[in-house]
Amino acid sequence: MRQIVLARPDDWHIHLRDGDALATTVPHCARYLGRGLVMPNLQPPVTRVELALAYRDRILRHVPDGSAFTPLMTLYLTDDTPADEVRRAADSEHVMAFKLYPAGATTNSAAGIHGIEALYPIFEVMEREGVVLSIHGEVTDRDCDIFDRERVFIDRHLEEIVKRFPSLRVVLEHITTADAVEFVRAASHHVAATITAHHLVLNRNDMLVGGIRPHHYCLPVPKRERHREALVEAACSGEPRFFFGSDSAPHGRSRKEAACGCAGVYTAHALVEICATAFAHRGALKRLNDFCSGFGADFYGLPRTTETVTLVEEPWTVPEDFPFTGDRLVPFHAGQEMAWRVHDA
Ligand code: DOR
Ligand code: ZN
């Protein structure tokens, strides 16, 4: 039975939601995470530092006694974000980044951005203040095929952003393509990417073959197998610019198993276990610590966690579902056996 000790992992992109949902999501990740960078796409969105601090307090109320879990916050960038808010974010020890959602790109993105060029003055302030710009990198044009949306966003917007603002720290979130891997690799050290657990193990066949599998539907959508392989290669490469951000995104069963089901895969119950499966398959377990517990903190300029968790090769079965705001929440790999398990002691 193999066993690995990891520094307590950090998740640099997680959706915890709000209200009753926190009773499910927070204890799940507090079991083994050191820090979680919490996404701001609530309704209404978290657009101001003071809203983020109030949200942080609501999250903290659900952290079980004895857990070291610390939420870090993001702000939702809108067409009207004032430069002063960027300065306030830079001054806050709890707010780490602004999140850019192109309007209409994903869950609760209606308040997002309509014209990226109009934000250049704000990017300039972020660059000067050292505030990270976290990007959902997909175009939303109706005539752009959904499988091409990430690549087109890079060509149309990201190349230009990093050229104009060479010191702006940018995270391209939840990358899904070999094109994104290539772009990030070629960019300066101010540019990084998060990779999710589920995109390390899913390709588009897993979502569409043998019937539509709503619990595998997320945005950006999983791509061809060659793209999944490129993500695994990048995650296991030991390059500091690729680090873990789960995009764990809970939605009640009734909203997933619907005629128009919403996007999101829930992985917070087993983040490290899913990553371990992908790394072990590639014989790269020795690289897991840097990916899950090191490179993200380095990029955000925070110390690495000193507490540890132990990952043990020990079979267990994922529950079929969890209670969730009066509905049920179907986790990734529901009812399936997994080979690795994290012990938090
Ligand atoms: O699948 C997704 N779900 N992708 C996102 O970008 C947002 C997330 C959510 O909030 O549900
Ligand atoms: Zn997300």
Side-chain angles (χ1 to χ4, degrees), residues 182-315:
E182 209 176 293
F183 170 81
V184 171
R185 232 172 220 155
S188 84
H189 67 280
H190 295 302
V191 179
T194 52
I195 300 178
T196 76
H198 52 285
H199 287 113
L200 289 176
V201 297
L202 290 180
N203 65 27
R204 64 192 195 177
N205 279 12
D206 298 314
M207 185 174 62
L208 295 170
V209 170
I212 291 179
R213 292 167 202 277
H215 299 291
H216 290 173
Y217 173 64
C218 57
L219 290 167
V221 284
K223 307 293 193 300
R224 291 177 177 277
E225 176 61 6
R226 83 173 172 85
H227 293 292
R228 188 194 68 81
E229 284 167 0
L231 299 179
V232 174
E233 190 274 324
C236 296
S237 68
E239 290 165 86
R241 59 188 66 216
F242 300 105
F243 52 83
F244 180 55
S246 74
D247 201 22
S248 173
H251 294 276
R253 166 175 236 147
S254 60
R255 303 196 57 208
K256 290 290 287 174
E257 298 175 11
C260 184
C262 38
V265 175
Y266 186 72
T267 47
H269 62 295
L271 297 173
V272 185
E273 289 90 340
I274 302 164
C275 290
T277 307
F279 276 65
H281 194 249
R282 205 183 157 84
L285 280 169
K286 62 178 188 304
R287 295 267 165 80
L288 188 62
N289 187 68
D290 278 337
F291 179 69
C292 289
S293 317
F295 293 150
D298 300 347
F299 183 84
Y300 278 95
L302 295 175
R304 292 189 176 197
T305 43
T306 48
E307 292 188 3
T308 57
V309 294
T310 305
L311 185 65
V312 182
E313 196 171 21
E314 169 191 287

Side-chain angles (χ1 to χ4, degrees), residues 13 15 39 99 101 174 247:
H13 183 134
H15 299 269
M39 290 296 126
K99 177 70 187 287
Y101 291 100
H174 40 52
D247 201 22

Side-chain angles (χ1 to χ4, degrees), residues 122-198:
I122 285 288
F123 294 166
E124 206 179 307
V125 183
M126 284 183 187
E127 182 180 42
R128 200 167 47 233
E129 299 284 336
V131 173
V132 170
L133 174 64
S134 144
I135 301 182
H136 182 114
E138 288 192 287
V139 298
T140 55
D141 317 37
R142 285 187 69 80
D143 62 355
C144 181
D145 190 279
I146 193 158
F147 291 102
D148 296 332
R149 289 177 172 203
E150 183 173 282
R151 182 176 54 74
V152 173
F153 185 93
I154 292 168
D155 292 350
R156 199 182 287 170
H157 301 295
L158 206 47
E159 300 263 12
E160 187 61 25
I161 293 172
V162 303
K163 196 158 22 138
R164 276 179 188 255
F165 306 99
S167 305
L168 178 64
R169 292 193 297 147
V170 173
V171 181
L172 183 55
E173 300 290 343
H174 40 52
I175 60 171
T176 56
T177 56
D179 311 86
V181 170
E182 209 176 293
F183 170 81
V184 171
R185 232 172 220 155
S188 84
H189 67 280
H190 295 302
V191 179
T194 52
I195 300 178
T196 76
H198 52 285

